[in-house]
Amino acid sequence: MTMAATAAKHDCPVSHCDPYSRENLMDPHAMHAELRDAGPVFRLDRYDCYGMARFAQVHQGMNDWQTYSSASGVGLDDFRKTRPWRPPSILLEVDPPLHTQTRSVMSRVMSPAAMRQKREEWQEKADHLVDDLVARGSFDAIADLANVFPLRVFPDAVGLRPEGRENLLPYGNMVFNSFGPRNEVFLESVANAQPVVQWIMDQCRREVLTPGGFGAQIFEAMDRGEIDETQAPILVRSMLTAGLDTTIIGIGSMVYAFAQFPDQWQVLRDNPALLRPAFDEVVRWASPVQTFFRTTTRDVDVEGVTIPDGSKVLMFLGAANRDPRKWERPDDLDIRRPTIGHVGFGTGIHGCVGQMVARMEADVVMTAMLKRIKAIEIAGEPVRHLNNTLRSLASLPVRVIPA
Ligand code: OVV
């Protein structure tokens, strides 16, 4: 028999590393390189799951929802084996055909056209906030800017009442932690969870949502028969869960990126038309959402290694976005590089449906900063906030030089 008669079979490489250790959450890049080099797919024996960290396999896996399903949950927990800790999302934690239906409702509510209507009002709010910060000269880019701006625009856009909004960030933090193991980072975030979860659920009812907001528009889709009355509140919940921590990190990462790569700030100031690709490059470079799981629906061959049916596979978006097999000088921020294909918003049918919101928020904040700020300098030690899924800062002291 010739060698070509059957495809070569390989043993699956095994990694003993813990992607959820405090050390690796603090700084995952060395681990990412190790995992990419381990092979196109590897076993994480500590969690009894598989993983992919190279761009090619992450991209291909995320674009094959039939093989890599979301319906058993996109965290380490397998919904077929253990009861989900909250009613599953009908957007994130489902496959077609239900996903197709719910996604179309969400993508219409947060369409480019819908977001364009927000630009003027959001730009005014961004100008006002950045005016104050530039007048101060030194501030915390997380506490005083990234944490502030999305909370000034997004809850109003959804149509939430003013009381209780302090519950939004703890809830998001909790949910994104829950996609990982029940480690200390998770447990710390769910202490006193009950009132937070209850408040979130209460805000998803039609009676409390302001007319005209994103939330009310989801209920209008229900009136048209596109979704039913049990589904509308869960879609509002998706917005409240996925819409805040993520955009906060996006804006914080923008400031951190340009403070670390001041030449890129100059490039952008000279050519503000690069703002949109610049945001994509920041999302590639920072990967606010580091990982999501999928679950195989059949035995699947990956470059000669078989992943058995029913396996959890951890997709390392952050590692794929810095894979040197795909990107030149992957650790450098380069806003002129072609960022097409980065997986920072995911890719495939589950690619971020709220990215128009994120893009508009980043756009107005950056537009305000580009007009007023010549240079951004790091003025103190940045402090990380640990989360099992999100990579973010708790504090970033900066000094800005006015234009
Ligand atoms: C993308 C994302 C993250 C967290 C929660 C959800 C979605 C949801 O649909 O609930």
Side-chain angles (χ1 to χ4, degrees):
M1 195 165 73
T2 64
M3 287 293 288
T6 56
K9 291 273 179 200
H10 305 296
D11 287 338
C12 190
V14 178
S15 170
H16 309 303
C17 85
D18 181 359
Y20 299 103
S21 71
R22 279 182 190 272
E23 192 188 13
N24 283 327
L25 293 176
M26 194 72 82
D27 181 7
H29 296 117
M31 174 191 69
H32 286 168
E34 200 180 300
L35 293 175
R36 283 189 301 256
D37 291 345
V41 60
F42 46 85
R43 276 193 61 74
L44 289 168
D45 63 349
R46 205 182 271 265
Y47 293 107
D48 194 25
C49 68
Y50 290 77
M52 297 178 176
R54 294 185 187 176
F55 179 86
Q57 280 72 38
V58 169
H59 190 268
Q60 125 77 32
M62 306 273 293
N63 278 287
D64 179 2
W65 62 265
Q66 288 96 338
T67 304
Y68 298 94
S69 165
S70 292
S72 302
V74 297
L76 178 60
D77 287 350
D78 188 331
F79 290 180
R80 297 162 311 171
K81 297 177 184 162
T82 53
R83 202 169 74 94
W85 74 279
R86 60 173 200 157
S89 166
I90 55 173
L91 184 66
L92 179 74
E93 295 157 329
V94 290
D95 293 332
L98 176 55
H99 172 268
T100 313
Q101 220 179 326
T102 53
R103 175 159 179 122
S104 91
V105 172
M106 295 292 266
S107 64
R108 194 149 2 95
V109 172
M110 296 182 287
S111 67
M115 295 320 301
R116 275 195 294 274
Q117 293 183 7
K118 300 286 180 196
R119 178 187 290 278
E120 214 176 321
E121 182 200 334
W122 288 13
Q123 187 65 66
E124 252 174 58
K125 291 189 173 172
D127 287 343
H128 179 76
L129 175 60
V130 174
D131 269 338
D132 285 352
L133 295 173
V134 173
R136 280 168 56 185
S138 295
F139 58 92
D140 190 319
I142 307 304
D144 302 328
L145 174 62
N147 279 350
V148 173
F149 186 72
L151 278 167
R152 280 198 190 163
V153 296
F154 189 67
D156 286 343
V158 174
L160 297 186
R161 38 167 74 155
E163 304 80 35
R165 292 181 179 190
E166 67 279 1
N167 290 304
L168 288 164
L169 293 183
Y171 184 72
N173 188 44
M174 195 185 301
V175 173
F176 280 99
N177 270 328
S178 74
F179 298 129
R182 300 295 172 257
N183 56 5
E184 244 178 66
V185 171
F186 167 81
L187 292 171
E188 282 162 19
S189 74
V190 296
N192 308 314
Q194 205 42 55
V196 176
V197 172
Q198 191 56 53
W199 182 86
I200 291 285
M201 296 308 292
D202 289 345
Q203 308 319 305
C204 298
R205 292 174 299 130
R206 188 171 210 170
E207 309 83 84
V208 301
L209 290 162
T210 313
F214 296 159
Q217 290 175 51
I218 291 173
F219 280 93
E220 285 161 21
M222 176 189 90
D223 293 338
R224 294 191 297 269
E226 295 170 25
I227 46 172
D228 69 29
E229 62 279 6
T230 63
Q231 294 172 328
I234 307 187
L235 286 183
V236 177
R237 191 192 65 175
S238 285
M239 278 190 184
L240 302 185
T241 315
L244 226 41
D245 305 65
T246 50
T247 56
I248 284 172
I249 301 172
I251 291 169
S253 300
M254 272 274 198
V255 180
Y256 194 34
F258 286 110
Q260 281 185 63
F261 296 91
D263 62 306
Q264 295 296 301
W265 185 249
Q266 282 318 315
V267 172
L268 186 54
R269 273 175 48 79
D270 293 342
N271 189 359
L274 287 176
L275 194 42
R276 187 185 161 99
F279 185 55
D280 273 303
E281 173 65 350
V282 168
V283 173
R284 180 198 68 81
W285 177 82
S287 295
V289 177
Q290 288 273 298
T291 47
F292 268 131
F293 284 87
R294 294 292 188 260
T295 310
T296 53
T297 57
R298 61 180 172 87
D299 291 354
V300 49
D301 176 277
V302 179
E303 305 284 313
V305 172
T306 302
I307 310 178
D309 182 17
S311 303
K312 282 279 173 177
V313 185
L314 185 50
M315 303 291 188
F316 286 86
L317 308 177
N321 276 340
R322 291 190 183 210
D323 182 355
R325 295 160 189 81
K326 164 75 179 174
W327 313 97
E328 281 171 35
R329 296 171 294 102
D331 298 332
D332 289 353
L333 187 82
D334 175 2
I335 66 173
R336 285 171 294 195
R337 80 162 76 227
T339 56
I340 307 296
H342 77 81
V343 292
F345 287 116
T347 174
I349 64 165
H350 287 281
C352 180
V353 72
Q355 63 181 280
M356 302 310 160
V357 181
R359 288 180 188 284
M360 185 57 76
E361 289 183 17
D363 192 309
V364 295
V365 169
M366 283 296 125
T367 298
M369 292 181 75
L370 283 168
K371 262 188 267 176
R372 295 165 175 80
I373 296 170
K374 191 160 78 181
I376 308 166
E377 294 166 2
I378 297 178
E381 197 56 41
V383 179
R384 290 230 154 255
H385 171 73
L386 299 191
N387 181 283
N388 284 333
T389 302
L390 302 173
R391 180 161 162 77
S392 71
L393 292 174
S395 171
L396 174 62
V398 295
R399 190 179 317 110
V400 293
I401 315 298

